[in-house]
Each structure stands twice: as structure tokens, then as C-alpha cells.
Amino acid sequence: MATMTVSLPDPMKDWIEAQIRQGDYASVSDYVRDLVRRDRDRREQELTLDELRKKLAASRDSGISTRTVDEIFAEAREIAKGRGLLHE
């Protein structure tokens, strides 16, 4: 395993240490590893501008939905839950 030295402003250092004291993380390394994992996961889910344009064009081409707004939001909530983005 590699070692890195990182300089942080005092408020950031204090924040990390508070998370460790709360028991959310075992160490500074544990906290940083979690941040890197989350950032990597988030970036893997991002779409390129071209992908967004294609999705927009496909949605325009599909026409008007027959579903209600409530049905659409219910589906969105289920998708978010499945991805671990929503905790109800």
C-alpha cells in the first residue's frame, strides 16, 4: 500500500477528525479512501455531453408520456433507492 502526504486547511482537518471521533471512520486513511471511492463511483455515473444530447433527442422522439407525474416520480424514487441515493 502506498503512502501519501496531504496538506489541508485546519477546518478541513478538524472536520475529518470529528468524523473519526463520531465513529464514522476508523482513521484519516479510512476517511480519504471512502472519499476516493465515492468520487470514482460518481464519475463513472456521469454522462458526456454527447450522451446527454442523445438522451434528450430520444426523449423528444418518444412523444408525450401517458403516465401521470406521480407515477413518474414514484419510478424515479425507486430508481434512486436502488442506486443507494435515497433513504426513506
Side-chain angles (χ1 to χ4, degrees):
M1 192 170 298
T3 300
M4 296 178 75
T5 301
V6 178
S7 298
L8 298 171
D10 287 335
M12 285 185 176
K13 177 183 173 283
D14 295 342
W15 169 261
I16 294 170
E17 290 172 346
Q19 305 316 298
I20 295 165
R21 281 193 304 275
Q22 288 176 185
D24 294 337
Y25 297 92
S27 66
V28 172
S29 293
D30 186 33
Y31 183 85
V32 172
R33 283 191 294 268
D34 185 52
L35 287 179
V36 171
R37 278 191 292 273
R38 289 176 189 231
D39 184 51
R40 184 179 53 214
D41 292 345
R42 180 186 59 83
R43 289 172 186 266
E44 288 173 355
Q45 293 178 3
E46 287 182 354
L47 299 174
T48 66
L49 188 55
D50 188 49
E51 290 169 328
L52 287 172
R53 285 186 176 125
K54 287 178 183 175
K55 285 187 177 287
L56 179 59
S59 70
R60 283 185 185 145
D61 294 343
S62 71
I64 297 173
S65 176
T66 59
R67 297 183 302 163
T68 67
V69 172
D70 289 339
E71 290 170 333
I72 293 168
F73 275 109
E75 180 184 358
R77 278 191 292 277
E78 289 305 313
I79 291 170
K81 281 184 202 174
R83 293 181 181 172
L85 302 174
L86 182 65
H87 307 285
E88 291 187 278

